[in-house]
Amino acid sequence: MNKKRLFIADLRSHADKGKTVGHFAFVAKMYRKMFGDLYDVKVAGGPAYRNHFTGEELCELPHNVSNTTIRDRWHVMKNAIKLFKEAEGGIIVLQQSAVQTYFVALALFYRRKSRLYLIQYSDESLKSRLSRFLYRLIRHKVDGILCSSELVGKRFGRPYLVTPDYIYLEDEKTPLTKYEDKKYDFCVLGRISPEKCVPEVVDRFKNEQCNILIAGNPQTKELGDEIRGLCEGRSNITLDLGFLDAGTYENYLKDSRYCILNYGGPYVNSARSSGVVFDMLFHDVPVIGTRCGALEFVERHQMGRLYTDLSAFRIEDVLDESTYEGFRKNIVKYKDLHKTYLQQLRAFVT
């Protein structure tokens, strides 16, 4: 008997030089692992997804979309039209990408011939009057919302499940590097955007007796230049600005004692979640970061140290092996909770 099909879809499929940008391919792989025994899981994405999935796994959409011109929005629409046709009779899980445009696509082209679930990491897609109007047009077509907080779920007015952005799967275990063998005391990894406040991190740590790694692709040339200038002549800072492939990213994590997530801007006093924090924790790296909603669970489960003011953070409070091992053991306990999260997600998406 043929399995029902589930499509995990990225309608924008943002790519840089033919490579997918962000966490979307990772999430797609996660869904294939979580639901592969229940459904025939297809990954719906643009041509860049060929780098991650085989022909049998991939429902290739016509376009990668890197900008927000009228032409680019039409390309998102064309991706949506193909997806809706291919997924008839199945289940669609839409990743949070080009949301306002896919609201329009759902209003115009989706006829409820599938089950439809939306991943929403925040309520940003309902901030504008236009977005709220568009969502009202399509709300009745949505079967469920997958979100990281009650606040976000309630905003969308449909059945919702509060679940972590990423689910830990036991087959992702990687060998641990001993505390004394790690190269870096602290790292800042991944896409470097203004709201991550990386220059402030460099300024805070540049004169400290610790080794810090800054690695990732700056969102703008100006931001990259600012960071390079601050790091100039600082022997305790290792800088690797640019696109990080998966292998380099994972090796940097293994070589780091702590990760710093110095969130500001939209992360403070909002319901916005963070995906990268799960990358760190799933690799058994404790988190140092801003006290905000996205990281609240880190403090609650004692998997790192949060601060209200970076300048008041005391490095010596965490740079000893016993403190580090205490955080790491709590991370192991937290990952065990994800067995329950996985069961709840599999029961909700039907």
Side-chain angles (χ1 to χ4, degrees):
M1 182 177 178
N2 292 333
K3 291 181 180 179
K4 190 174 184 178
R5 294 179 302 161
L6 183 151
F7 292 76
I8 173 70
D10 172 12
L11 291 179
R12 186 182 181 197
S13 300
H14 187 193
D16 182 11
K17 297 178 181 178
K19 297 180 179 179
T20 56
V21 174
H23 62 273
F24 301 99
F26 179 89
V27 170
K29 291 177 182 178
M30 183 181 76
Y31 269 75
R32 282 189 53 79
K33 291 177 181 178
M34 291 191 300
F35 288 97
D37 63 324
L38 296 178
Y39 303 113
D40 177 11
V41 181
K42 301 292 186 182
V43 176
Y49 274 77
R50 294 176 197 159
N51 297 321
H52 303 281
F53 301 96
T54 65
E56 289 186 357
E57 300 166 341
L58 183 62
C59 169
E60 186 173 325
L61 304 179
H63 300 287
N64 300 322
V65 182
S66 299
N67 295 300
T68 57
T69 65
I70 292 175
R71 180 172 178 268
D72 293 312
R73 292 177 188 274
W74 172 236
H75 283 169
V76 173
M77 296 274 203
K78 289 174 69 177
N79 285 349
I81 291 168
K82 178 170 182 180
L83 170 67
F84 300 156
K85 182 177 180 180
E86 292 284 339
E88 287 185 7
I91 299 169
I92 299 172
V93 180
L94 284 183
Q95 298 209 50
Q96 186 175 341
S97 180
V99 175
Q100 191 177 86
T101 306
Y102 84 53
F103 281 176
V104 176
L106 287 168
L108 294 176
F109 306 117
Y110 181 65
R111 298 293 177 259
R112 296 207 70 180
K113 294 183 179 181
S114 311
R115 298 279 291 174
L116 176 66
Y117 298 85
L118 309 183
I119 297 175
Q120 294 291 326
Y121 300 116
S122 70
D123 60 356
E124 289 294 316
S125 54
L126 298 179
K127 289 293 187 183
S128 73
R129 184 177 298 177
L130 175 60
S131 293
R132 291 193 297 272
F133 169 75
L134 291 173
Y135 181 67
R136 284 196 296 270
L137 295 179
I138 59 99
R139 182 170 54 192
H140 66 286
K141 299 181 178 184
V142 177
D143 293 290
I145 301 291
L146 304 173
C147 55
S148 56
S149 76
E150 293 279 347
L151 179 60
V152 172
K154 290 177 180 177
R155 285 275 284 142
F156 283 86
R158 295 297 292 156
Y160 64 89
L161 176 69
V162 176
T163 187
D165 295 350
Y166 295 167
I167 300 293
Y168 178 72
L169 304 173
E170 289 187 275
D171 60 355
E172 294 171 1
K173 288 180 180 178
T174 54
L176 292 176
T177 302
K178 293 181 180 179
Y179 180 87
E180 63 270 21
D181 293 334
K182 290 178 179 284
K183 297 179 183 178
Y184 311 105
D185 296 307
F186 303 97
C187 71
V188 177
L189 291 182
R191 184 168 175 265
I192 299 175
S193 55
E195 61 266 24
K196 295 182 180 179
C197 303
V198 176
E200 289 83 349
V201 174
V202 175
D203 196 52
R204 170 67 181 83
F205 285 86
K206 65 185 180 183
N207 295 316
E208 296 289 349
Q209 296 299 310
C210 64
N211 294 318
I212 182 167
L213 167 70
I214 309 289
N217 202 24
Q219 185 171 315
T220 65
K221 180 180 182 300
E222 292 75 18
L223 183 55
D225 290 343
E226 181 183 4
I227 293 169
R228 288 187 185 91
L230 288 169
C231 293
E232 190 172 353
R234 306 294 174 177
S235 60
N236 69 319
I237 300 177
T238 300
L239 199 60
D240 182 7
L241 296 186
F243 178 82
L244 301 179
D245 60 45
T248 301
Y249 182 87
E250 290 200 2
N251 286 332
Y252 280 154
L253 277 175
K254 292 176 186 176
D255 285 337
S256 300
R257 291 174 175 147
Y258 294 93
C259 173
I260 299 175
L261 295 173
N262 188 43
Y263 286 142
Y267 283 96
V268 180
N269 299 320
S270 79
R272 184 167 178 176
S273 65
S274 166
V276 70
V277 64
F278 294 100
D279 277 344
M280 312 308 167
L281 296 175
F282 291 173
H283 285 81
D284 293 278
V285 180
V287 171
I288 307 298
T290 308
R291 185 169 284 108
C292 61
L295 302 181
E296 178 274 333
F297 76 103
V298 171
E299 192 165 56
R300 175 159 38 92
H301 292 281
Q302 299 181 53
M303 299 183 291
R305 188 68 52 82
L306 302 187
Y307 52 78
T308 303
D309 182 356
L310 177 58
S311 64
F313 169 66
R314 288 166 49 89
I315 294 172
E316 58 269 27
D317 288 348
V318 299
L319 282 187
D320 68 88
E321 189 169 357
S322 62
T323 300
Y324 167 84
E325 286 298 335
F327 291 144
R328 196 189 63 77
K329 288 176 181 177
N330 289 333
I331 291 172
V332 173
K333 294 177 184 177
Y334 172 73
K335 290 193 293 187
D336 198 50
L337 291 175
H338 279 239
K339 295 175 184 177
T340 301
Y341 297 141
L342 175 58
Q343 291 171 354
Q344 292 172 342
L345 185 59
R346 283 162 60 99
F348 184 76
V349 177
T350 59

